[in-house]
Amino acid sequence: MLRSFLVMKRYFPKEIELKWQQKWQESNLYQAPDSSPKPKKYILDMFPYPSGDGLHVGHFKVYTSSDILARYYRIKGYNVLHPMGWDAFGLPAENYAIKTGIHPAITTAKNIAHIKKQMQQTGLSYDWSREINTTDPNYYKWTQWIFLKLFEKGLAYEAEAPINWCPSCKTGLANEEVVNGKCERCGTPVEKKLVRQWILRITYYADKLLEGVQNLDWPRFIKDMQINWIGRKEGINITYKVQGSDQEVVCFTTRPDTNFGATFIVIGPEHPLINKITKKEHLDEVKKYVSQTINRSEEERIAQGRAKTGVFTGSYAINNLNGKRLPIWVSDFVLGNVGTGAVVGVPGHDIRDFEFAKEFSLPIIRVVVGKDKDTSEITTAAQVQEKEGVITNSEFLDGLDIHEASTVIMDHLEKRGWGVRVVEYHLRDWIFSRQRYWGEPIPLIHCPNCGIVPIPENQLPLKLPEVKEYEPTGTGESPLAQVTDWVNTTCPKCGGPARRETNTMPQWAGSCWYFLRFIDPHNQEKLVSSEVERYWMPVDWYIGGAEHAVLHLLYSRFWHKVLYEIGVVSTPEPFQKLSSVGLVLAADGRKMSKSLGNVVTPDQIINKYGADTLRVYEGFMGPFENTISWDPTSINGVYKFLTRIWEVMSSEYIDSLANSKIEVVLNKLIVKIGNDIENMKFNTAIASMMEFTNLVYHEKLTLDQKKRFLIVLSPFAPHMTEELWQMLGQPYSIHQQAWPEVEDKYLQEEQIMVVIQVNGKVRDQLLIDREMIQDKELILSQAQKSPKIQKFLDGKEVKNSVYVPGKVLNFVT
RNA sequence: GCUGGUGUGGUGGAAUGGUAUACACGUUGGACUUAAAAUCCAAUGGCCUCUGGCCUUGUGGGUUCGAAUCCCACCACCAGCACCA
């Protein structure tokens, strides 16, 4: 019996999408309760900075993907937390304020409204009752509270340090914010500047951050980036006496095994020993060199490349091992902030030392013989054996592998008191203060009597005051310094006159812990209540861009470890699983940017095709992690696919199972979609739904088949499936249904195609009943009857035959 | 230079030891239309002596009955780090 609808409606996404978005909101469909008999799933997007340009389709690849996951896990029976908020402190709003005089809070609010609308019209299933904004005093109260905890624990310290300074942004930067010697944000070459700073001791956590990252379910490349950034290396500090002086020079090395090959020592231009050991006749030259190199910008340093420069101090150090004199040179290839700022030169087995020795005609000694067995004098860079080999010319180390030799010599040096084993890191402490307005005020007071005094917790939040001038001062103070009635205050300890700290926190502060506030966003008493924190943490699946691999993702892990130690959170790591989205480039292959005029916004796509088409296309473009150019023509195919589904689903249905092939395909499809979503393989999930649609386009389905198909499609196209669900007379809402069950008997076809090969080449296929599939003899004899096979076996002796049940039979002749 | 990754049609890609090129775009032809769009149908890796056959997953080798998939070497590209001792 056929059933038909009274009216066959055409697919008009605009009509249905807004209607359901409103209905979902009214019925609080996506609110997550804080307790539930269901298992929990915390699915989190990296929250956006509310830029005035709004968001483009690249941002929405993240949001639609995580939304598919959130919707999928809801119908799989999980209590899903899927929130959204705004990382709203930062330079663009402040720069706009400088230009226009409009307060950043006003522009920020406007931008948020726009972006929120973009998200809502895409049908993203966020729990908006948990929305947060890092610039809300009720939020940054807790950012400041965490800072006070860091201060209490001695993890925040004040120092006047030469730091990376962006002359355009007029603020200091963290090491992580300097990319190729340039400001991460604006691209201006970074300078060195002596500025009073608040610095966080992230280096105390280097080993914990390193260990913790090992077991996380994160992309390998991001884990490696963090491991490399932390840059742990084990070595030894060797002390050398300076001849004819009571001074000593300490050199860090990871390769003490080659120390018999040392022929010189190089110290960096910042090294304090320079003034103490430089001989009179070299003084002028050394002074000139130091002043030339020390004030150079990062950009100039990079421009110099590997070319070696340097000057001799006139002094010599003594190598304890063999009594040799090592001339002490000054060179800028030795960096002041790496190791001890002094290096022992082993030009035979270190390419930089080799280049330096060549430049200044210093002796080169071979102490390692590599795989190539070359024992000749080292005269070319190609002969410099750095990584492997056996020690030679080194007394008691001779004949040892370099790694064994390393242990032997370190023991030897430590025993004689000539060296101490040490661990060095690439990671530096986090330059935490910014000399800008639009950030969290640092809740500290400078008192002439008591020194630095934290603001009492009950006085938080310390609100950001209004200012007249947003322009950064460039002096190392923020524009807050001009708000005298705010700056001048009384000391909480002694009650005397005191000054507030005027620096603000960096962009990264608010995002270091926001995932905790989503759990308990309205709590006035605590950052997060322990009960709900234990229920929801850790974040089960975190989704965002790889540009945060060593910034946000390292900083937030650091704060989380501190919060873990003081008992605020129950997990040592915040993000259990991380997926990294690939860039979406413009159709021209360049980055989408307003200035290039190649930006595609979700609004444009939704106006033309509807939100469901945008969502499905974002998933269908290619693998989630791939960099892909936006293709404005391909999207038609997705729209066509959805229109076809509409036609199939809104047409007549049949009561009985007429076609068991469709049932088999549908059951397999249900399994495949589930697996694909869990592995973020949305492109193949959608492709298989397209195949299904093409298969049934001229067929009739049963009501139950339609319902099951709509449920598995619903995470991708939530509006259309909700509408069709209603048209099929089903109760609201499709998004509260359970994932369809599959039946084992429908997971296999009645007959299975077996490929017949001769010598590995496909020559024929046989359709075999499922019950016969294990019977090799039967299939062998059937295959031999095939004329196509006979043709290739003719006149040849079959030496062997390999049968893989249900797949392939291969004759070997 | 170091670390990690990737190489498949005109394009995005599928297949992780068993029919390479699923799905989609694009292109070509056809149907419908006065016409166009939309839609539908068909074809679409290359070559040849074309009812058939040969070749093809960056290049060269290897393992295997069988390799895009595993191993070795090389080449190219992408990302990150980089005079890190």
Side-chain angles (χ1 to χ4, degrees):
Chain A
M1 190 175 80
L2 295 174
R3 305 228 173 122
S4 55
F5 296 103
L6 284 174
V7 187
M8 248 286 264
K9 291 204 282 184
R10 266 199 65 194
Y11 176 46
F12 285 122
K14 258 183 216 168
E15 269 176 34
I16 58 175
E17 289 182 352
L18 190 64
K19 178 179 81 183
W20 289 115
Q21 283 159 14
Q22 282 166 355
K23 173 93 179 184
W24 294 334
Q25 205 174 347
E26 281 160 21
S27 56
N28 295 326
L29 197 60
Y30 306 119
Q31 276 191 19
D34 281 329
S35 70
S36 165
K38 297 174 181 176
K40 70 95 181 179
K41 200 67 117 175
Y42 188 174
I43 296 171
L44 182 67
D45 296 313
M46 290 183 186
F47 67 160
Y49 173 79
S51 143
D53 298 339
L55 301 180
H56 59 64
V57 289
H59 299 104
F60 277 78
K61 189 172 172 192
V62 174
Y63 307 141
T64 57
S65 299
S66 69
D67 198 60
I68 291 165
L69 293 175
R71 288 175 178 279
Y72 168 74
Y73 280 110
R74 277 192 208 105
I75 52 184
K76 273 296 236 188
Y78 287 83
N79 183 24
V80 172
L81 177 56
H82 188 46
M84 182 43 75
W86 315 104
D87 188 16
F89 273 129
L91 282 181
E94 187 176 343
N95 289 339
Y96 188 74
I98 291 166
K99 227 164 46 182
T100 62
I102 298 169
H103 195 279
I106 294 167
T107 39
T108 299
K110 201 178 121 201
N111 297 344
I112 287 174
H114 174 219
I115 293 170
K116 189 171 174 180
K117 197 186 152 213
Q118 286 186 310
M119 288 176 169
Q120 284 173 331
Q121 69 186 7
T122 310
L124 301 176
S125 63
Y126 294 124
D127 177 354
W128 287 108
S129 72
R130 295 171 183 267
E131 180 179 357
I132 56 172
N133 178 338
T134 56
T135 65
D136 179 347
N138 284 322
Y139 180 89
Y140 69 67
K141 168 182 175 178
W142 298 105
T143 313
Q144 291 171 330
W145 182 86
I146 296 170
F147 181 86
L148 291 181
K149 295 294 157 194
L150 293 165
F151 181 76
E152 261 172 44
K153 283 196 63 137
L155 294 170
Y157 63 97
E158 190 185 26
E160 184 145 355
I163 56 147
N164 302 305
W165 176 266
C166 174
S168 167
C169 297
K170 292 184 179 151
T171 185
L173 300 172
N175 268 15
E176 290 79 9
E177 291 171 302
V178 180
V179 179
N180 291 327
K182 289 173 182 163
C183 171
E184 181 241 5
R185 197 145 284 280
C186 71
T188 306
V190 164
E191 298 170 353
K192 286 280 170 205
K193 185 164 171 152
L194 202 64
V195 183
R196 183 188 63 85
Q197 287 293 333
W198 283 94
I199 300 173
L200 300 186
R201 284 193 211 275
I202 190 171
T203 51
Y204 276 21
Y205 287 79
D207 278 331
K208 283 180 182 164
L209 290 167
L210 194 60
E211 281 162 31
V213 84
Q214 314 283 351
N215 299 320
L216 297 175
D217 185 4
W218 286 19
R220 172 105 161 260
F221 82 102
I222 293 187
K223 286 166 85 160
D224 285 347
M225 277 167 77
Q226 291 218 348
I227 292 165
N228 291 339
W229 190 261
I230 294 166
R232 184 182 203 274
K233 38 188 181 267
E234 293 176 2
I236 187 164
N237 278 346
I238 304 175
T239 302
Y240 299 88
K241 285 205 157 59
V242 179
Q243 199 177 30
S245 128
D246 55 356
Q247 299 293 329
E248 292 175 331
V249 54
V250 181
C251 299
F252 174 73
T253 178
T254 55
R255 291 295 307 280
D257 51 295
T258 58
N259 209 253
F260 281 97
T263 59
F264 56 93
I265 278 174
V266 189
I267 59 181
E270 300 93 342
H271 204 287
L273 211 56
I274 291 173
N275 295 326
K276 295 172 188 161
I277 62 165
T278 304
K279 293 280 194 269
K280 258 191 202 130
E281 60 273 28
H282 297 276
L283 204 57
D284 288 348
E285 208 191 342
V286 168
K287 273 189 173 165
K288 196 176 142 203
Y289 181 78
V290 168
S291 70
Q292 264 173 11
T293 51
I294 208 162
N295 292 320
R296 221 167 26 155
S297 73
E298 277 289 288
E299 204 185 25
E300 287 169 304
R301 199 182 61 76
I302 289 165
Q304 184 183 316
R306 298 187 64 90
K308 296 290 179 291
T309 60
V311 282
F312 179 43
T313 60
S315 281
Y316 293 85
I318 303 300
N319 190 348
N320 298 310
L321 288 174
N322 52 12
K324 251 192 189 152
R325 292 206 315 169
L326 307 173
I328 303 175
W329 286 66
V330 179
S331 174
D332 60 355
F333 86 84
V334 175
L335 307 174
N337 58 357
V338 176
T340 57
V343 166
V344 55
V346 183
H349 305 288
D350 180 289
I351 198 75
R352 295 171 311 252
D353 295 349
F354 175 82
E355 287 161 358
F356 192 77
K358 274 275 172 192
E359 183 67 35
F360 297 104
S361 305
L362 296 162
I364 298 166
I365 301 171
R366 174 185 287 281
V367 290
V368 177
V369 178
K371 260 193 204 150
D372 57 9
K373 305 279 179 212
D374 181 8
T375 54
S376 65
E377 201 181 317
I378 298 168
T379 54
T380 65
Q383 288 173 284
V384 176
Q385 188 54 258
E386 285 187 304
K387 295 225 143 127
E388 47 157 49
V390 175
I391 302 291
T392 184
N393 295 329
S394 301
E395 302 179 12
F396 57 94
L397 296 179
D398 285 0
L400 293 178
D401 175 82
I402 58 168
H403 302 102
E404 295 169 82
S406 199
T407 309
V408 172
I409 191 79
M410 286 206 257
D411 289 344
H412 181 83
L413 290 167
E414 281 197 319
K415 218 168 167 182
R416 307 288 157 110
W418 296 335
V420 186
R421 280 180 164 93
V422 286
V423 177
E424 280 282 334
Y425 299 90
H426 173 258
L427 185 70
R428 298 281 158 243
D429 276 344
W430 179 8
I431 306 291
F432 191 70
S433 42
R434 297 293 175 272
Q435 292 70 44
R436 299 289 305 231
Y437 170 72
W438 190 231
E440 300 88 345
I442 292 175
L444 295 175
I445 286 167
H446 298 264
C447 170
N449 297 322
C450 312
I452 291 156
V453 182
I455 287 176
E457 277 180 30
N458 60 16
Q459 287 177 28
L460 296 180
L462 170 61
K463 286 195 185 166
L464 189 61
E466 300 285 324
V467 295
K468 288 194 191 83
E469 288 292 327
Y470 300 100
E471 191 74 47
T473 62
T475 59
E477 294 286 335
S478 104
L480 289 178
Q482 296 150 0
V483 190
T484 45
D485 56 348
W486 181 83
V487 172
N488 294 321
T489 184
T490 52
C491 172
K493 225 178 191 174
C494 70
R499 276 177 63 84
R500 290 192 192 280
E501 170 63 47
T502 59
N503 283 334
T504 53
M505 298 190 202
Q507 166 88 81
W508 313 103
S511 59
C512 270
W513 69 281
Y514 75 109
F515 44 91
L516 295 172
R517 195 60 179 172
F518 280 134
I519 291 173
D520 199 2
H522 309 296
N523 194 330
Q524 293 295 311
E525 310 304 318
K526 289 176 84 175
L527 183 156
V528 59
S529 102
S530 302
E531 199 187 331
V532 276
E533 188 278 331
R534 274 198 301 273
Y535 176 66
W536 284 116
M537 284 300 285
V539 173
D540 295 283
W541 206 333
Y542 195 29
I543 298 143
E547 69 271 20
H548 295 122
V550 288
L551 290 154
H552 160 63
L553 286 170
L554 190 65
Y555 295 150
S556 52
R557 290 184 60 227
F558 161 47
W559 279 33
H560 206 75
K561 295 211 170 292
V562 178
L563 293 174
Y564 179 64
E565 282 172 12
I566 63 173
V568 176
V569 298
S570 59
T571 64
E573 289 285 339
F575 313 121
Q576 190 46 46
K577 180 180 172 102
L578 175 73
S579 289
S580 162
V581 71
L583 271 180
V584 177
L585 302 172
D588 57 14
R590 294 186 292 184
K591 250 184 138 169
M592 280 194 194
S593 99
K594 210 179 175 185
S595 59
L596 291 171
N598 58 8
V599 175
V600 181
T601 65
D603 314 54
Q604 293 166 266
I605 305 300
I606 290 170
N607 279 335
K608 195 164 172 195
Y609 300 102
D612 284 338
T613 298
L614 171 70
R615 295 171 59 103
V616 174
Y617 183 62
E618 294 271 10
F620 187 62
M621 282 167 68
F624 179 74
E625 62 284 351
N626 279 24
T627 298
I628 296 173
S629 295
W630 184 261
D631 182 350
T633 55
S634 288
I635 199 163
N636 283 316
V638 168
Y639 183 70
K640 204 162 82 181
F641 160 61
L642 291 180
T643 309
R644 279 170 157 241
I645 287 172
W646 181 271
E647 287 170 27
V648 170
M649 293 295 150
S650 64
S651 68
E652 325 161 298
Y653 57 83
I654 50 174
D655 275 344
S656 61
L657 251 180
N659 186 338
S660 73
K661 180 164 193 258
I662 290 180
E663 193 55 29
V664 170
V665 174
L666 181 59
N667 274 268
K668 284 183 164 181
L669 181 73
I670 292 165
V671 173
K672 178 165 172 56
I673 305 256
N675 289 338
D676 279 355
I677 292 176
E678 290 180 22
N679 292 304
M680 287 195 112
K681 293 172 76 174
F682 306 125
N683 56 330
T684 52
I686 293 160
S688 56
M689 285 190 280
M690 286 173 169
E691 277 181 83
F692 179 79
T693 310
N694 293 341
L695 175 75
V696 302
Y697 190 54
H698 297 294
E699 305 271 351
K700 298 272 178 282
L701 298 176
T702 67
L703 176 62
D704 190 57
Q705 286 173 333
K706 287 187 178 183
K707 283 168 63 180
R708 279 178 287 156
F709 181 77
L710 287 175
I711 290 171
V712 300
L713 175 63
S714 70
F716 300 87
H719 309 88
M720 161 192 267
T721 49
E722 186 81 284
E723 179 75 12
L724 288 165
W725 189 254
Q726 192 206 31
M727 283 165 62
L728 290 171
Q730 302 305 310
Y732 180 80
S733 156
I734 190 172
H735 303 297
Q736 289 170 310
Q737 303 304 310
W739 189 257
E741 299 286 335
V742 292
E743 285 188 66
D744 285 343
K745 68 170 174 175
Y746 286 122
L747 287 179
Q748 275 196 329
E749 280 98 346
E750 297 290 302
Q751 293 192 305
I752 291 164
M753 192 72 81
V754 174
V755 169
I756 313 300
Q757 301 179 329
V758 177
N759 291 327
K761 292 199 187 224
V762 179
R763 298 301 180 188
D764 201 1
Q765 320 177 322
L766 287 178
L767 210 50
I768 306 292
D769 288 346
R770 207 201 311 169
E771 304 85 69
M772 307 294 172
I773 213 71
Q774 295 297 334
D775 190 345
K776 180 177 172 181
E777 291 310 313
L778 176 106
I779 291 155
L780 205 64
S781 69
Q782 280 210 28
Q784 275 163 337
K785 282 181 207 149
S786 153
K788 287 183 190 170
I789 299 300
Q790 278 169 2
K791 196 173 124 189
F792 285 94
L793 292 180
D794 189 35
K796 284 166 192 155
E797 183 201 350
V798 175
K799 285 185 190 150
N800 192 13
S801 61
V802 180
Y803 177 58
V804 182
K807 288 198 167 154
V808 67
L809 172 68
N810 189 15
F811 291 99
V812 186
T813 65

